[in-house]
Amino acid sequence: ATAATAATAATATTAHHLPTYPARVLNCSPSTLPTLHVGHRSSFQWTLFVRGPNNEDITYFVAKVVFTLHPSFAQPVREILQPPFEVTEFGWGEFEASIRVFFQDPNEKPVDIVHPIRLYPMNNQPPSVKKPVVYELYDEIVFTNPAPEFYDVMVRGSQKQSLPNPLQDAFTAFSDADDIKQIAAAQAYVTEELNKVKDKISQLEQERSARERIANASARPR
């Protein structure tokens, strides 16, 4: 048996999957807003988080999330035992944070994610105090042969939505629609190419048969 689930993180999104029945979670890394502190260089407030792709409550399969930040932070390891699974800090430099997701079934090994803290907009755009920089990554995890109880939980999926998040208007919208379109387009392309090959084979067969008929006709005694 297999089960699937998904997750997302702020500035990044990830998903985790269990056997056949997707449950999604996103791991995102920072949404950032530049701020100024008197006597200090310009810095950013950022939030690193793990969420469901559709903002669903992920506690049905996620027990806790441990964030490991840059060692320069006073408390670089943060253990979050309940939603929202997120950490908010101030900083001026970008770095890669580690995220470890623990599951409700303690027999399932935790999943490690490395997510970059992005403070600046792409394409050299200037930072904005109104629009956060959101870098989300979507990922999926497959649980192979999960315990029957955990499997049943994954099949049922989330029974409620997460509480509203002040950053949710900037969240990435994740949908299977684009994936389905790409798969359908790929299938159509493969079908078209196969039909071309079949037509070519049929044409070659007809040409071969025609040559054989001519050869046989020429070989007959007159």
Side-chain angles (χ1 to χ4, degrees), residues 6-70:
T8 316
T11 35
T13 318
T14 25
H16 303 283
H17 268 208
L18 295 181
T20 338
Y21 294 89
R24 297 170 183 174
V25 194
L26 301 172
N27 72 66
C28 304
S29 76
S31 300
T32 58
L33 291 174
T35 58
L36 283 176
H37 295 283
V38 177
H40 293 76
R41 73 179 81 188
S42 175
S43 63
F44 297 82
Q45 176 180 315
W46 53 259
T47 300
L48 177 65
F49 58 86
V50 173
R51 70 175 178 91
N54 299 308
N55 247 13
E56 64 271 32
D57 186 337
I58 59 175
T59 55
Y60 70 101
F61 74 99
V62 173
K64 67 178 180 180
V65 178
V66 176
F67 299 92
T68 302
L69 311 179
H70 192 274

Side-chain angles (χ1 to χ4, degrees), residues 3-194:
T5 197
T8 316
T11 35
T13 318
T14 25
H16 303 283
H17 268 208
L18 295 181
T20 338
Y21 294 89
R24 297 170 183 174
V25 194
L26 301 172
N27 72 66
C28 304
S29 76
S31 300
T32 58
L33 291 174
T35 58
L36 283 176
H37 295 283
V38 177
H40 293 76
R41 73 179 81 188
S42 175
S43 63
F44 297 82
Q45 176 180 315
W46 53 259
T47 300
L48 177 65
F49 58 86
V50 173
R51 70 175 178 91
N54 299 308
N55 247 13
E56 64 271 32
D57 186 337
I58 59 175
T59 55
Y60 70 101
F61 74 99
V62 173
K64 67 178 180 180
V65 178
V66 176
F67 299 92
T68 302
L69 311 179
H70 192 274
S72 60
F73 285 91
Q75 185 186 346
V77 179
R78 314 286 175 88
E79 183 180 56
I80 309 300
L81 302 176
Q82 59 187 16
F85 297 110
E86 63 182 39
V87 171
T88 298
E89 272 291 354
F90 287 90
W92 54 268
E94 297 183 332
F95 63 93
E96 287 190 336
S98 296
I99 303 170
R100 174 165 283 193
V101 181
F102 291 80
F103 303 108
Q104 294 292 357
D105 183 351
N107 293 316
E108 290 290 346
K109 293 182 179 179
V111 169
D112 292 314
I113 301 162
V114 176
H115 190 76
I117 303 295
R118 296 284 174 84
L119 304 180
Y120 301 95
M122 303 293 287
N123 303 318
N124 296 319
Q125 295 295 312
S128 169
V129 295
K130 295 182 179 180
K131 184 178 180 181
V133 174
V134 177
Y135 180 65
E136 294 190 303
L137 299 176
Y138 177 94
D139 199 2
E140 294 185 351
I141 297 173
V142 174
F143 298 88
T144 304
N145 296 322
E149 298 80 5
F150 190 52
Y151 179 84
D152 291 342
V153 167
M154 296 307 301
V155 171
R156 288 195 299 271
S158 180
Q159 303 300 308
K160 59 182 179 179
Q161 289 293 105
S162 297
L163 294 174
N165 189 302
L167 296 171
Q168 66 185 34
D169 289 342
F171 285 169
T172 305
F174 291 92
S175 169
D176 293 333
D178 291 339
D179 291 338
I180 292 172
K181 286 181 180 178
Q182 291 179 4
I183 292 171
Q187 289 176 333
Y189 173 78
V190 170
T191 300
E192 181 182 359
E193 291 301 307
L194 286 174

